[in-house]
Amino acid sequence: MNPLENLIREMIAENGPMSLETYMTLALAHPVHGYYASKMPLGESGDFITAPEISQMFGELIGLWCVAVWRAIDEPRPVLLVELGPGRGSLIADILRAARVAPDFLGAIDLNLVEISEVLQRWQRGALKDSPVAARWHGTAEELPSGPAIIVANEFFDCLPVRHFVRSKDGWHERLVGLDGEERLCFGLAPDAEPSLAAPGEPGQVIEAGHAGGQLMARLAARIAAQGGALLVIDYGYDTPARGETLQAVKRHRFADPLRDPGEADLTAHVDFCGLARAARAAGAEVHGPVPQGEWLARLGIHERAAKLQCYAVGRQRAAIDAAVLRLAGGGHGSGATDMARLFKALAVTQPGLCPPGFETASP
C-alpha cells in the first residue's frame, strides 16, 4: 500500500465513501503524493506520449496559429500567451520557435504557464532556457493576470476529474469510492438517488459528468468574451451527446486499475466537447468546431510542412517524418485517419466576431 492509498483509506474510514471526483483530485493533484506532484509522466520512460513529443510540426503549426489569431484581434500589446498543463515544455518551446517569423508578436508576448507539478516545471524551465520570452508560472488558471489572451490547452481537459452516475430502478445514484470487506478500495453507489438528474435510462447505464471541466471552461470563456482573445482546446473525446464511462488509468503505456496504487498511474476521461461548447456559449464566447485533429492539422498545412521537411531529410529522418504525420493527422489525400487523428479533436473558443484558422468551414 502506498502513502496516498493509506491516506485515502483513512479519509473513507473517518468520513465515509468519497465521490469519484474527489478520488481523482487526490490521485492526480495531492501536493505530496499525487501523480502530477511526484512523477515524470511523459515520454517513452513515462506513462504516455503527447502530440508535441511525436513531432515538432504539431507545435510549429500551433505557433503560427497563435500569430494569426493575434493579428486578427488587432495585435494587442501585451498579449498573454498561456499554456495550460505544458508537460515537458515541448509544445510551448515549439510555439515560440515558430513564432520567430513574427518578431512583433514575440515582442508583445506575456508568457504564462499553468502547472501544478514542480517536477514538470523544472522540465519546462529547461525547455525554455534559450527562449526569447521570459515565462511566469501559476498553479491555477485563476491566477492569470488580466488582459487579452491566447490560451492553448493540449491534453489538459482530459485530466480534470469527473463524476459518475449509475442508473438504478429508483433513479441515478452517484458512484463512490469506498472500502470492501478486506479494506481495499472499491466502487459503490450512494444510497440515495441524485435529485437533480431526471433523465430516463436503463438500469446499469452510466452518465459521466465533467463538472470541473465545464466550470473551468465557463470561467475561461467569460474572460475571453470580456477581455478578448481565443482558447484552443485539443484533446481526445466525443462531439455528440453520449452515455457511458470512459475513465481510464494508464501506467507505463498500459491500461491499469484506476483504484490500484493511486498516484502511481495517470487517470483521464474522454472530454465532452458538447458540454464544453455549451459552457463557453453560455459565458458569451463564440465556439468553433470541434474538428477532428487530423482534419484540423491538414487545414493548417501539416502535409505541406512535412513535404518541405522531407526535402532536407535523409534515411531514417524521412521515415520518422512520414510516421509522425500519419500518427497525428492520417495519410491525407483521402486515405484513412489514424485513431489519434480521429479521436483527438480541436475546439476554439473566441471573442465575438473572430473565426480562427482551421475552423473556417467548421459548423458550431
Side-chain angles (χ1 to χ4, degrees):
M1 185 187 307
N2 65 31
L4 183 55
E5 182 177 353
N6 189 51
L7 173 62
I8 291 173
R9 288 178 55 185
E10 291 176 354
M11 293 173 66
I12 293 171
E14 182 175 350
N15 303 310
M18 64 178 60
S19 69
L20 176 60
E21 184 177 51
T22 299
Y23 173 79
M24 288 184 69
T25 300
L26 289 168
L28 293 174
H30 185 276
V32 177
H33 306 300
Y35 181 73
Y36 286 106
S38 57
K39 301 289 183 299
M40 166 43 70
L42 294 162
E44 295 291 346
S45 61
D47 296 318
F48 58 90
I49 294 176
T50 61
E53 311 291 328
I54 295 172
S55 172
Q56 69 186 54
M57 291 182 287
F58 182 80
E60 290 172 347
L61 291 174
I62 293 177
L64 298 179
W65 186 91
C66 292
V67 173
V69 168
W70 179 68
R71 299 211 186 284
I73 60 174
D74 298 327
E75 304 182 1
R77 295 173 178 271
V79 61
L80 272 71
L81 178 60
V82 180
E83 186 178 0
L84 306 180
R88 294 201 294 191
S90 301
L91 176 56
I92 194 63
D94 290 340
I95 288 173
L96 292 172
R97 186 178 62 255
R100 290 176 186 268
V101 301
D104 51 346
F105 173 63
L106 280 179
I109 290 174
D110 178 2
L111 183 58
N112 292 261
L113 306 179
V114 177
E115 179 60 70
I116 63 171
S117 168
E118 292 186 3
V119 174
L120 290 173
Q121 280 190 25
R122 290 196 292 271
W123 278 83
Q124 292 155 19
R125 293 179 193 279
L128 295 174
K129 65 180 186 303
D130 298 322
S131 169
V133 181
R136 291 185 284 176
W137 276 261
H138 309 276
T140 67
E142 287 71 32
E143 298 174 14
L144 292 169
S146 60
I150 300 172
I151 305 171
V152 177
N154 179 60
E155 292 199 52
F156 178 81
F157 278 86
D158 68 284
C159 299
L160 299 181
V162 297
R163 298 170 70 186
H164 282 176
F165 298 91
V166 182
R167 180 72 181 187
S168 296
K169 293 181 180 180
D170 61 339
W172 296 93
H173 294 250
E174 183 164 12
R175 177 172 283 165
L176 304 177
V177 177
L179 300 174
D180 65 15
E182 298 181 6
E183 298 297 305
R184 295 173 301 191
L185 296 178
C186 68
F187 286 122
L189 297 179
D192 298 323
E194 180 64 34
S196 63
L197 278 180
E202 298 296 325
Q205 279 191 325
V206 177
I207 291 177
E208 189 171 73
H211 293 159
Q215 291 168 355
L216 175 60
M217 174 57 80
R219 291 193 295 269
L220 293 173
R223 174 208 172 100
I224 288 168
Q227 301 180 39
L231 163 65
L232 175 64
V233 177
I234 303 176
D235 226 313
Y236 57 90
Y238 47 93
D239 55 4
T240 57
R243 288 188 182 177
E245 54 188 293
T246 67
L247 173 69
Q248 64 183 28
V250 176
K251 184 175 182 179
R252 299 191 182 97
H253 304 273
R254 296 178 180 271
F255 292 115
D257 182 344
L259 295 183
R260 182 177 179 181
D261 299 325
E264 299 291 332
D266 185 33
L267 298 180
T268 65
H270 289 206
V271 173
D272 176 7
F273 282 96
C274 296
L276 293 186
R278 284 195 303 271
R281 290 193 186 97
E286 288 191 5
V287 176
H288 309 269
V291 176
Q293 175 181 288
E295 181 179 340
W296 186 73
L297 290 173
R299 292 179 184 181
L300 294 186
I302 191 170
H303 297 289
E304 292 78 6
R305 174 60 176 156
K308 187 172 183 179
L309 290 176
Q310 291 281 23
C311 295
Y312 305 97
V314 295
R316 292 182 179 178
Q317 292 176 328
R318 296 178 65 88
I321 293 169
D322 287 339
V325 173
L326 181 63
R327 187 171 179 184
L328 291 172
H333 307 295
S335 61
T338 61
D339 288 343
M340 192 174 196
R342 286 192 305 265
L343 180 59
F344 279 70
K345 296 172 179 64
L347 177 81
V349 175
T350 70
Q351 66 185 59
L354 173 64
C355 183
F359 296 94
E360 294 85 355
T361 60
S363 59

